[in-house]
Amino acid sequence: MTITNKQIHLVKRPSGEPTLDCFALVQEPLAEPLPGQVQVKNEFLSLDPYMRGRMDDAKSYAQPQALNAVFQGATAGEVIASNHPGFKPGDKIAGNFGLGWQTHATVDAKAIRKVDVSRVPLSYYVGLLGMPGATAWYGTTKILDPQAGQTLVVTAATGAVGGVVGQLAKSKGARVVGIAGGAAKCDYAVRELGFDACVDYKAADWKEALKAATPNGIDRVFENVGGEIFDAILGRMNAFGRIAVCGLISGYNGKALPLNNVRSILTNKLMVQGFIISDHLELWAQAHKELADLVVAGKLKYRESITEGVENAPKAFLGLLRGENFGKQVVKL
Ligand SMILES: NC(=O)c1ccc[n+]([C@@H]2O[C@H](COP(=O)([O-])OP(=O)(O)OC[C@H]3O[C@@H](n4cnc5c(N)ncnc54)[C@H](OP(=O)(O)O)[C@@H]3O)[C@@H](O)[C@H]2O)c1
């Protein structure tokens, strides 16, 4: 019996904020696996902010997403047929970025890897034990290295990356201040994730709140947002502070991100380090082992925002860019 594969294609490049008509649902028969290939049923799709950059036909660290082709992204699922000795039906797998927004895929075996779902749910392999988890671990432990008594600020604080950053920094003894959009997210950061404080940047007095939450200044920053928020942080840095520039999501739809407090980099002798996690693949296994051990031991909390159905992936993705997700955004198929 031929399986119908539902796919989401990028059919139009956005100008500014993407709209639903940039995407189209396409159905086609799933190809039989050739020698060396496997057929996979995707169970979870990862939605990530970097995908916005790939919608543009612009030079970046990642190739642009091709038009009229499956929208690429990380996945997790199950092998349903195999023409490769290393995989059998029923194996749980994580797919690399090529598998993308579709219900199924027929791929070379090198595009997938087996995963252990005895300790953690399958969906974690597109988040905590995938690219976002590695990102949080790398930026926190290898760039920021927060010390007891220091103040660390993390933006997009309850997201896939930010929530992990804050908890890792807390475990090192730092005072952790999150910045997030809305009272519910801030409440969660403090009550559930154990942050010392969280500033709601949507509140009118957020700059005063940032001052109050960082009475001794700021020593470490995990920056995910950019723009006005990053500028306010720069204005509160202590001498010899460190900043890991992980993302600038407030500018992904093309908004300019001017900085008035850039002088702080000079006068406070700051170390500012941008990074892209795909440059550090050799450390992902170590990161994932440490994060898995922490979450299994109940020492790390991890939250997901789950949308159902491949046809709803575009809407959920647009929501992610507006902060409608609360935790790691996945699509369950
Ligand atoms: N460098 C790398 O290798 C790498 C790897 C992974 C991720 N990243 C970056 O890390 C950041 C977080 O990624 P994630 O996967 O953890 O996503 P996420 O935080 O789960 O979701 C994105 C969040 O960004 C916030 N946001 C969106 N637009 C905003 C705006 N205009 N101003 C302020 N906040 C806004 C929203 O949270 P609020 O509701 O709190 O505003 C939203 O929930 C992104 O910038 C991403 O590009 C970089």
Side-chain angles (χ1 to χ4, degrees):
M1 188 191 69
T2 306
I3 295 171
T4 300
N5 187 18
K6 287 190 191 175
Q7 307 177 324
I8 301 292
H9 289 196
L10 180 71
V11 294
K12 191 178 105 176
R13 300 204 185 276
S15 161
E17 193 174 343
T19 45
L20 285 178
D21 63 353
C22 294
F23 303 93
L25 179 67
V26 173
Q27 305 201 30
E28 61 175 40
L30 183 65
E32 292 300 322
L34 298 171
Q37 290 191 322
V38 286
Q39 260 184 350
V40 170
K41 183 178 181 305
N42 285 334
E43 294 180 30
F44 294 96
L45 312 179
S46 181
L47 305 187
D48 298 281
Y50 79 86
M51 293 169 168
R52 171 62 189 87
R54 296 194 66 243
M55 293 176 80
D56 295 331
D57 190 9
K59 187 171 177 291
S60 182
Y61 61 89
Q63 286 291 314
Q65 162 72 41
L67 283 175
N68 302 309
V70 179
F71 201 84
Q72 294 191 332
T75 59
E78 186 175 299
V79 172
I80 52 173
S82 175
N83 213 340
H84 184 280
F87 292 94
K88 60 179 186 320
D91 285 345
K92 295 292 184 187
I93 58 97
N96 72 15
F97 297 90
L99 268 64
W101 296 4
Q102 53 185 338
T103 55
H104 299 79
T106 301
V107 289
D108 290 344
K110 63 176 187 290
I112 60 174
R113 66 183 194 282
K114 280 189 213 173
V115 296
D116 174 10
V117 290
S118 64
R119 299 202 304 162
V120 295
L122 180 62
S123 60
Y124 283 28
Y125 287 94
V126 298
L128 184 69
L129 305 183
M131 182 275 288
T135 302
W137 180 93
Y138 181 85
T140 309
T141 64
K142 297 293 178 189
I143 298 178
L144 296 180
D145 190 24
Q147 305 293 312
Q150 292 182 331
T151 295
L152 177 143
V153 170
V154 55
T155 54
T158 62
V161 173
V164 177
V165 169
Q167 292 178 84
L168 290 177
K170 252 333 265 182
S171 74
K172 307 277 182 203
R175 171 177 170 79
V176 172
V177 177
I179 301 183
K185 287 185 177 179
C186 278
D187 196 49
Y188 171 77
V190 174
R191 285 177 200 267
E192 295 291 325
L193 301 183
F195 292 11
D196 296 283
C198 185
V199 174
D200 171 9
Y201 72 87
K202 292 184 176 168
D205 63 347
W206 71 269
K207 288 184 186 167
E208 287 309 310
L210 179 62
K211 271 187 205 160
T214 56
N216 299 321
I218 300 171
D219 306 290
R220 297 287 185 266
V221 180
F222 195 107
E223 182 52 38
N224 286 321
V225 167
E228 204 185 358
I229 295 173
F230 185 33
D231 204 35
I233 291 170
L234 272 178
R236 295 203 52 73
M237 291 301 295
N238 290 330
F240 300 106
R242 287 188 200 174
I243 301 174
V245 181
C246 173
L248 298 168
I249 194 168
S250 67
Y252 288 0
N253 284 332
K255 192 175 155 201
L257 303 177
L259 293 176
N260 293 315
N261 289 320
V262 73
R263 186 167 175 268
S264 172
I265 297 173
L266 174 64
T267 56
N268 287 313
K269 300 146 278 189
L270 305 180
M271 187 193 92
V272 182
Q273 174 76 61
F275 74 102
I276 299 296
I277 196 57
S278 52
D279 290 334
H280 308 286
L281 291 172
E282 75 287 358
L283 292 171
W284 286 35
Q286 183 190 351
H288 291 153
K289 183 181 180 320
E290 290 183 20
L291 294 173
D293 288 346
L294 286 171
V295 83
V296 168
K299 294 179 178 164
L300 181 71
K301 293 197 177 163
Y302 178 65
R303 178 176 179 140
E304 296 173 310
S305 242
I306 299 178
T307 296
E308 302 221 357
V310 71
E311 61 282 1
N312 292 319
K315 185 163 177 278
F317 177 61
L318 302 191
L320 170 79
L321 297 175
R322 288 194 291 262
E324 289 168 12
N325 63 310
F326 195 158
K328 168 64 195 162
Q329 180 67 57
V330 296
V331 177
K332 184 169 187 260
L333 304 182

